[in-house]
Amino acid sequence: KSIQDDFTPINLSVIEATFSGADEITPSLLVEKGVAETKGSKAPRIKILATGEVTKKFTFVGCSVSAEAKNKIEKAGGKVVA
């Protein structure tokens, strides 16, 4: 089973285009906005990838984040909460 089976990958470019600044990004919010789909009756496991740039200050909660994506998020003033 690959990581693709466990996680729904989402690029920073999609987050940047979909959300305004200062949003708290959670798996359930990504489903609500149509960026991700539920897996059965529960929110998907999300992996944020570094493709694209981020200029807005986002807080990511309950999402896995690649090291490069985390650097970009923090550089823009955002944060990743485990």
Side-chain angles (χ1 to χ4, degrees):
K1 204 169 182 183
S2 75
I3 192 166
Q4 301 297 347
D5 295 332
D6 293 331
F7 288 94
T8 300
I10 298 177
N11 292 318
L12 283 175
S13 58
V14 173
I15 301 295
E16 180 79 9
T18 305
F19 297 96
S20 59
D23 283 326
E24 184 174 280
I25 310 298
T26 63
S28 56
L29 181 60
L30 291 167
V31 169
E32 183 181 313
K33 293 285 190 176
V35 176
E37 295 181 2
T38 57
K39 302 266 184 166
S41 61
K42 57 185 182 177
R45 294 174 66 199
I46 302 295
K47 176 80 173 196
I48 304 298
L49 303 178
T51 302
E53 295 302 317
V54 63
T55 61
K56 301 167 187 163
K57 186 177 175 182
F58 296 116
T59 300
F60 290 84
V61 179
C63 300
S64 291
V65 180
S66 74
E68 189 178 346
K70 184 176 181 184
N71 287 339
K72 289 182 176 184
I73 292 163
E74 290 174 346
K75 190 185 243 183
K79 63 184 174 178
V80 177
V81 179

